[in-house]
Amino acid sequence: MGRKLLLDKAHIEGIRYYDTYRSNGGYTAAEKALKTLGPDGVLDEVKKSGLRGRGGAGFPTGMKWSFIAKPEGVPRYLVCNADESEPGTFKDRYLMEHIPHLLIEGLLISSFALGANSCYIYIRGEYAWIPEILEQAIAEAKNKGWLGKNILGTGYDLEIYVQRGAGAYICGEETALIESLEGKRGNPRIKPPFPAVKGLWQCPTVVNNVETLAAVVPIINIGGDEYIKFGTGKSTGTKLISACGNINKPGVYEIEMNISVEEFIFSDEYCGGIKNNKRLKACIPGGSSVPVLPANLLLKTAKGETRMMTYESLADGGFATGSMLGSGGFIVMDEDQCIVRNTLTFARFYHHESCGQCSPCREGTGWMKKVLHNIEYGKGKMSDIDLLWDIQRKIEGNTICPLGDAAAWPVAAAIRHFRDEFEWHVLNPDESQKRNYGIAHY
Ligand code: NAI
Ligand code: SF4
């Protein structure tokens, strides 16, 4: 059995509530941070732990924290990104629903380390029932003296606020989130300046994902040096993976980042193999924004090495033969799945969610959707496949925020690895149309 650091107590009845959380060791890390380590001590442990951002980018957390500007008399903020909207990703939801105090404790320790007296949880609108769970946990923590004024007699003050989003995917992009939090339309800002310098209300702000901030609790409890023993290389600690698609056991799993992709998919401890004894065809390992991998490149790298559930191994080969761990949204496809249809579904999503600020994204996502639609519905030409390739190339790297790239990469990977399926649709228009008869389209 893999060791757990985040969900080890998630099965305990009543762990959602303060008393049970506390009687099972909760808030001991906060006590240690505030009374013994101090802000610099916390930062040191987080740096030592090698913790990387769990939202998708994998940016080193300690480094991000050390970038925060500290001008005299200017407030600093911590923002928890709970706008989990990446298709296939539902790990933060699980964590907030089952063990909300782990997040609140992580927010307390992290805010303390950053010198922030206000912390915001920005949560996606569709998670309509979770703010209540969080607000109850915040009220309990405040009632017990873990929030508010002069926490544990240290002179440190902290308030945590929950802000609901309104259902826009783009508000998960950190600067769009900040705009939305300020009450404006969620349009991403050009970076730099990064939020660590000019963020919320132009003040220094750290934006971290839910899982990242929760992971600070075990790091403080066991120490950064122990934390790195979970995992390998630059993939330290444990990672929550939300597994879905054609597998026997979809769900949220906490893995040590030292197991193989094959073990994750086929062992009974995790996904339990492919449903109905079908063959594994492909997988998107890190949420819809990362490249799809065909089965042969998923289980082994192009060099023939075992593909591991780590940042490095999943990215091995670059986008030619690799992908990314991303947000840990693990979407498994069996032999019956149509890659063109799948790519169209994502293209439709990105077009719908584009904020429309930059032309390559606004126009390109719609154009890709139309071309993919034509191919999928038996109205495409061979030249459309090259056209699609050209469009995605012109989006990538030419936009304000990563949504443009996120829309381009899946299209590129689908053509790169499954060109024959695109060609099949073009060469078999009648079959394509028949297959899609009666299915709703855009
Ligand atoms: P990014 O690589 O631009 O930034 C990562 C973080 O590091 C940001 O917080 C940024 O402010 C900070 N940073 C980078 N360089 C810095 C510097 N020089 N100074 C100060 N701070 C610096 O990536 P981003 O936009 O944060 O995330 C993109 C990823 O998000 C995608 O790869 C995708 O996997 C993931 N994603 C996750 C979603 C979810 O629901 N979990 C939704 C959509 C995308
Ligand atoms: Fe908006 Fe797309 Fe430009 Fe991002 S890339 S700022 S979502 S138009």
Side-chain angles (χ1 to χ4, degrees):
M1 285 282 277
R3 294 174 297 173
K4 293 183 172 52
L5 291 170
L6 297 172
L7 301 182
D8 52 337
K9 300 188 183 108
H11 64 282
I12 298 173
E13 204 181 324
I15 197 74
R16 185 189 277 186
Y17 304 104
Y18 176 83
D19 288 343
T20 313
Y21 181 74
R22 179 71 172 140
S23 61
N24 281 280
Y27 289 100
T28 49
E31 206 163 357
K32 183 174 170 186
L34 269 73
K35 287 194 166 165
T36 314
L37 294 176
D40 291 344
V42 173
L43 178 60
D44 279 351
E45 293 302 328
V46 172
K47 277 188 175 163
K48 266 194 265 173
S49 75
L51 176 67
R52 296 172 66 171
R54 302 297 198 227
F59 195 84
T61 306
M63 192 188 291
K64 194 194 274 196
W65 288 11
S66 58
F67 284 155
I68 196 158
K70 296 181 175 167
E72 201 61 30
V74 177
R76 281 165 242 157
Y77 297 104
L78 173 65
V79 175
C80 170
N81 189 343
D83 194 70
E84 183 179 53
S85 313
E86 180 82 338
T89 313
F90 45 93
K91 64 186 180 70
D92 297 338
R93 180 183 83 189
Y94 187 91
L95 199 146
M96 291 186 285
E97 266 182 320
H98 288 83
I99 187 158
H101 278 285
L102 186 70
L103 176 61
I104 306 305
E105 187 178 0
L107 297 180
L108 167 57
I109 299 168
S110 309
S111 300
F112 173 70
L114 292 164
N117 300 112
S118 300
C119 168
Y120 296 87
I121 305 174
Y122 186 97
I123 184 159
R124 77 178 280 204
E126 291 90 338
Y127 285 176
W129 65 101
I130 298 180
E132 224 173 277
I133 297 173
L134 294 174
E135 272 158 0
Q136 183 180 357
I138 291 168
E140 285 182 322
K142 193 162 181 181
N143 196 24
K144 298 290 180 184
W146 296 102
L147 296 174
K149 295 256 176 241
N150 193 20
I151 301 166
L152 300 185
T154 57
Y156 176 63
D157 307 334
L158 177 67
E159 295 293 342
I160 300 179
Y161 307 95
V162 180
Q163 176 64 47
R164 294 161 173 80
Y169 171 73
I170 194 57
C171 288
E173 194 284 328
E174 59 178 1
T175 60
L177 187 159
I178 288 170
E179 288 280 302
S180 173
L181 207 47
E182 291 178 358
K184 294 180 256 168
R185 184 189 157 103
N187 279 355
R189 297 175 182 168
I190 291 174
K191 295 192 281 191
F194 288 94
V197 177
K198 278 190 178 175
L200 188 59
W201 295 297
Q202 300 297 312
C203 298
T205 303
V206 161
V207 184
N208 277 141
N209 168 261
V210 169
E211 183 189 345
T212 312
L213 292 164
V216 170
V217 176
I219 289 169
I220 297 305
N221 268 328
I222 65 174
D225 289 335
E226 279 304 305
Y227 187 81
I228 56 174
K229 294 181 186 162
F230 292 72
T232 46
K234 289 188 176 151
S235 302
T236 58
T238 62
K239 173 88 190 83
L240 298 183
I241 305 287
S242 55
C244 61
N246 307 120
I247 46 176
N248 284 316
K249 291 169 57 193
V252 175
Y253 297 99
E254 181 171 5
I255 60 158
E256 282 187 59
M257 283 195 275
N258 60 11
I259 63 166
S260 69
V261 172
E262 188 163 5
E263 180 181 349
F264 184 66
I265 295 179
F266 291 100
S267 84
D268 282 339
E269 189 177 346
Y270 303 110
C271 304
I274 307 299
K275 227 173 164 176
N276 301 323
N277 290 320
K278 298 266 180 187
R279 272 186 306 127
L280 169 67
K281 174 174 180 172
C283 174
I284 302 171
S288 62
S289 303
V290 310
V292 62
L293 283 179
N296 60 327
L297 287 174
L298 178 68
L299 304 183
K300 294 236 182 282
T301 67
K303 294 178 222 150
E305 287 164 4
T306 302
R307 185 83 78 181
M308 306 294 287
M309 295 286 287
T310 64
Y311 291 98
E312 300 94 309
S313 182
L314 279 164
D316 192 299
F319 283 177
T321 58
S323 182
M324 284 168 77
L325 179 61
S327 59
F330 201 82
I331 309 169
V332 180
M333 289 175 251
D334 71 16
E335 58 192 292
D336 293 340
Q337 301 311 312
C338 169
I339 294 292
V340 180
R341 170 177 291 274
N342 189 274
T343 312
L344 168 62
T345 304
F346 290 136
R348 213 182 270 154
F349 172 80
Y350 288 114
H351 176 57
H352 180 73
E353 297 296 340
S354 165
C355 82
Q357 274 193 106
C358 9
S359 328
C361 172
R362 183 187 61 239
E363 302 301 324
T365 52
W367 199 3
M368 288 196 301
K369 181 187 80 170
K370 277 185 196 154
V371 177
L372 276 162
H373 182 271
N374 284 345
I375 297 174
E376 169 66 12
Y377 284 80
K379 289 178 260 164
K381 303 188 288 286
M382 269 311 173
S383 59
D384 283 342
I385 305 171
D386 295 327
L387 177 61
L388 257 185
W389 183 264
D390 277 354
I391 303 169
Q392 66 78 23
R393 283 202 55 185
K394 289 191 172 87
I395 299 174
E396 190 192 357
N398 293 319
T399 57
I400 294 174
C401 89
L403 189 144
D405 294 341
W409 293 340
V411 173
I415 298 175
R416 187 179 293 123
H417 300 304
F418 296 96
R419 196 180 177 102
D420 55 331
E421 283 195 35
F422 287 81
E423 290 174 356
W424 181 89
H425 280 274
V426 174
L427 295 171
N428 298 280
D430 294 343
E431 283 296 309
S432 286
Q433 274 175 16
K434 239 191 275 166
R435 218 166 65 161
N436 286 307
Y437 180 74
I439 295 176
H441 53 91
Y442 77 103

